[in-house]
C-alpha cells in the first residue's frame, strides 16, 4: 500500500504553570503534528516536540522539514518501513521530526493490518505507571507542588535540580516530609560539576532519601565526569542529554559511564530508540523513558513503545499532564499516575 | 488470541554429499520442527537445527525441550510475544529451540494479522543472493566443486578451510582459475592459530584473491587472537562461533575484535539476533547471516529476517541446497543463488 500524502501542522500549547529546569524556563510549547496517509485513506499520526535548549531544534525548522519528508515518503510502500527508516536516518539535525515520522509510519502500518502499535512492539504490558515532575522552584513552592502531586496519587516524583547544590539538597530532603512513601528521580539537566554532583547525591544518601535515579548530573559531553559520578553515587546514574543516538549509547556503555539510559523518542527517533533498548539490554543497563513537551497525541508514541517492549524500569511520561489541551487525543486512559491501554 | 498447542517433531535428512569442516564431517542432519497453534487454528512454524560440534546440542535433547516450551507457551496470548520471548531467554542451553520457537511465534502472529514475516521485520528487500559452500576436500575435489557451483550461477562461494595452511592457500588461490569472477568467503571454523590465520590471509592477498570475509579464523574464546587477526588481515574478519548471544556481540565490539559478525538464528534465536543487528549497526560493524543444517522450512526463518531488515551485507543461506528433501517447504523461490519472496 503506497503512501499518498504527508502533512505537517504546527500546534501551540500553554503550560498550566511555567516549567523551569537548569537550562531555562518554558511557558509554552509548539509542536508539529505529522499525518501520513495511505492510498486507501489509512492515516498514521505522530508528533514532534523539541526543547531548543536540549536539542537545538526550533518549531519553525521542524516545520520546514515537511518538504524533505514528503520527498522521501510519498509513493513508497508502507510495508517497506525499514527502507523508509534507513532514509529517514538523514534527518540527523531534526530527531524530533524523525521520531514523529517514524511513529506515524508504524501507526499507519499497524492500522493497515489491524494491530495496535503496542502489540506490534511486543505487547508486554497494557498498564504503565509514570512519575510526575516538579521544576526548579524555591523551597516552599517545591514542597507545595510535591505534596500536591503526591496527593494526586503519584508515588514516583521527579524533582529538577542542578542550580545550587545546597538548596537542591534541602528541596529534595524536605520533600520526603510531604511525600513520605514516594521515591524520587533527581534530574540535574547537566547543571552540576562532577564534584558537585557527588556532593549532592551523597548528601541525599546520608539523609536516606529514596532516590530511584540521578539523571544527567553533568555536562552532556563530559563522559569521564559522568563515569566519576556513576561510581561515586550510591544511587543509579542515568544519561539523558549525553545519549541521543545509538552510537552515543554504545559509547557510554563502552566507557562504563552509566547505570541507566533515558531514552526519549524525540532525541533518537523510533529506530535508534529500538536500537538503544537492545544495546542496553545486552549490557544489563537499565532503561528509563522520558519526554519533551509532547501532548496526549505525542506521548502516545512513547506509551506504545514502553508498553509493547516492556523494556523500561523508570517511566517519566508526564508532559501531556502539564499542557493545556482542548481535546485529549491519546488512545489510552490516564488515571492519576496510571496509563491504561485497551 | 491464545496459544492452544505446541508440538515438536524430529525430522531426518541426508546430505547429498558428506560435508566436512575443520570440526568434523556431517552426512546427515536431524532437525526439530516446531508448530505453534492458536485457538483459531492459525499455525506458526519453526525449525531447530543444530550442529553438535558448534553448539553442543543434540537432536535428542532439543526434542526433549517440548515439555518446557509447552509449559511456557500454552494458554498465553500471542499478542504478548515480547513477554514470551523474555521467558524463552531461559532456553540458554538450547538456542536452536529458542530460535525455532521464537520464529514460530512470530510466524503465527504474522499469519493472524495477515502480514508476511519479512514485512513485519521491515520489508526492506524481497530478493536475496546467497553464496554456496564447499567443505574441506582435497585440491582436486575442491576445484571440481567450486567450478560446479560457479557454473550453477553462484558468484559468491564459501570455502571451508582451517585444516592445513599451505593446502588451504592452494585450494583457495587455485579456485580463482575455475571461478574467475567469483568472490570468496573463507571459513576456518576456529581451525587456525592467530599466526597461521594471518599467514593464510596475507598469502591470499598477495595472490589477489577476491575475499569478501575471513570467518572465525581462531578458537572461539580467543578474542585477543581474533583481534590480532582482524588488524593484520587486509580483508574483513568475522566472528561466528565467538558470537552466540547479544552479550558476546557487545564484547567483541567493545574489544574492537572484528569487522563483521555472522548472525545465525540457531546460535542466537530471533530475539538476540535482532539485538545483535542493532548493536552491530550502532558500531558500524557489518553483518553476515549464516545457517546450520536447516531444511527449506528452517532456512525460511533466516530469509524472512534477512529480507525484512535488509541488514546483511553477506548471505550464506545454503543449507537447504545440500539436503535431500522430499518436499520443498519454503515460501520463497530459489533460482540458483537468488532467493525470491512474493
Amino acid at each position: 500500500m503506497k503512501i499518498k500524502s504527508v502533512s505537517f501542522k504546527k500546534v501551540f500549547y500553554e503550560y498550566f504553570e511555567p516549567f523551569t529546569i537548569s537550562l531555562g524556563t518554558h511557558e509554552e510549547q509548539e509542536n508539529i503534528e505529522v499525518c501520513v496517509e495511505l492510498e486507501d485513506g489509512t492515516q498514521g499520526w505522530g508528533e514532534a516536540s523539541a526543547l531548543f535548549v536540549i536539542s537545538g531544534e526550533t518549531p519553525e525548522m521542524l516545520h520546514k522539514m515537511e518538504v524533505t519528508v514528503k520527498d522521501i515518503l510519498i509513493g513508497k510502500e508502507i510495508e517497506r518501513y525499514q527502507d523508509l527508516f534507513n532514509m529517514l536516518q538523514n534527518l540527523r539535525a531534526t530527531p524530533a521530526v524523525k521520531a514523529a515520522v517514524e511513529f506515524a509510519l508504524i501507526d499507519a502500518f499497524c492500522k493497515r493490518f489491524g494491530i495496535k502499535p503496542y502489540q506490534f512492539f511486543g505487547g508486554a504490558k497494557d498498564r504503565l505507571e509514570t512519575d510526575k515532575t516538579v521544576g526548579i522552584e524555591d523551597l516552599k513552592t517545591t514542597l507545595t507542588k510535591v505534596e500536591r502531586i503526591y496527593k494526586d496519587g503519584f508515588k514516583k516524583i521527579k524533582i529538577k535540580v542542578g542550580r545550587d547544590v545546597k538548596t537542591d539538597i534541602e528541596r529534595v530532603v524536605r520533600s520526603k516530609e510531604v511525600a513520605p512513601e514516594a521515591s524520587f528521580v533527581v534530574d540535574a539537566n547537566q547543571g552540576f560539576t562532577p564534584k558537585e554532583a557527588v556532593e549532592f547525591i551523597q548528601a541525599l544518601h546520608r539523609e536516606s532519601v529514596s532516590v530511584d535515579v540521578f539523571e544527567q548530573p553533568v555536562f552532556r559531553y563530559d563522559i569521564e565526569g559522568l563515569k566519576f559520578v556513576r561510581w561515586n553515587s550510591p544511587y543509579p546514574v542515568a544519561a539523558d542529554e549525553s545519549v541521543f543516538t545509538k552510537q552515543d549509547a554504545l559509547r557510554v556503555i563502552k566507557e562504563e559511564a552509566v547505570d541507566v539510559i533515558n531514552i526519549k523518542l524525540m532525541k533518537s527517533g523510533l529506530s535508534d530508540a529500538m536500537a538503544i533498548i537492545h544495546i542496553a539490554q545486552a549490557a544489563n543497563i537499565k532503561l528509563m523513558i522520558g519526554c519533551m513537551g509532547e501532548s496526549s497525541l505525542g506521548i502516545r508514541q512513547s506509551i506504545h513503545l514502553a508498553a509493547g517492549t516492556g523494556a523500561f524500569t523508570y517511566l517519566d511520561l508526564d508532559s501531556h499532564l502539564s499542557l493545556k489541551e482542548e481535546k485529549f487525543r491519546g488512545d489510552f486512559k490516564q488515571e492519576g499516575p496510571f496509563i491504561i491501554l485497551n
Side-chain angles (χ1 to χ4, degrees), chain A residues 148-321:
Chain A
R148 194 175 67 202
I149 290 172
Y150 187 66
K151 287 190 170 154
D152 285 344
F154 291 83
K155 292 285 174 284
K156 296 178 180 299
I157 299 173
K158 176 160 162 175
I159 301 180
K160 292 286 188 178
V161 297
R163 276 266 169 97
D164 178 79
V165 175
K166 282 214 165 53
T167 320
D168 286 336
I169 293 169
E170 196 178 7
R171 290 171 60 229
V172 180
V173 170
R174 295 282 304 278
S175 289
K176 264 177 56 183
E177 298 166 15
V178 293
E181 303 288 316
S183 61
F184 297 92
V185 173
V186 286
D187 182 2
N189 286 109
Q190 318 174 50
F192 292 136
T193 66
K195 290 175 190 178
E196 286 171 347
V198 170
E199 186 190 342
F200 168 78
I201 201 67
Q202 291 188 346
L204 297 191
H205 190 247
R206 277 193 304 274
E207 299 289 336
S208 306
V209 180
S210 175
V211 174
D212 287 337
V213 183
F214 183 17
E215 236 189 298
Q216 195 65 46
V218 300
F219 184 49
R220 63 174 81 187
Y221 300 117
D222 185 8
I223 304 302
E224 197 58 35
L226 191 60
K227 183 174 177 175
F228 171 77
V229 180
R230 178 199 187 181
W231 294 113
N232 287 286
S233 163
Y235 304 107
V237 169
D240 178 11
E241 290 97 310
S242 292
V243 174
F244 272 58
T245 65
K246 60 191 173 207
Q247 285 79 19
D248 295 335
L250 194 59
R251 185 179 169 209
V252 296
I253 284 173
K254 269 189 180 178
E255 305 210 9
E256 301 285 356
V258 292
D259 301 294
V260 178
I261 291 174
N262 184 344
I263 291 179
K264 293 177 177 163
L265 284 176
M266 296 303 138
K267 293 185 300 180
S268 309
L270 190 53
S271 50
D272 275 39
M274 292 297 300
I276 296 170
I277 291 173
H278 286 295
I279 294 167
Q281 288 178 333
N284 202 31
I285 293 294
K286 288 207 163 51
L287 288 165
M288 180 170 182
I289 187 162
C291 54
M292 299 291 187
E294 293 97 315
S295 72
S296 58
L297 180 72
I299 206 74
R300 167 181 182 260
Q301 305 168 129
S302 304
I303 287 172
H304 278 274
L305 181 67
T309 60
F312 298 91
T313 308
Y314 311 104
L315 280 95
D316 176 31
L317 299 178
D318 64 343
S319 58
H320 60 303
L321 304 176

Side-chain angles (χ1 to χ4, degrees), chain A residues 70-104:
Chain A
K70 277 178 197 272
D71 278 353
I72 294 174
L73 295 186
I74 291 176
K76 303 286 169 46
E77 297 283 340
I78 189 72
E79 291 83 359
R80 312 195 83 160
Y81 70 83
Q82 187 57 56
D83 262 356
L84 304 176
F85 278 21
N86 291 346
M87 286 183 275
L88 292 167
Q89 283 291 26
N90 288 319
L91 302 182
R92 60 189 76 252
T94 54
V97 170
K98 194 179 94 162
V101 173
E102 287 179 341
F103 192 88

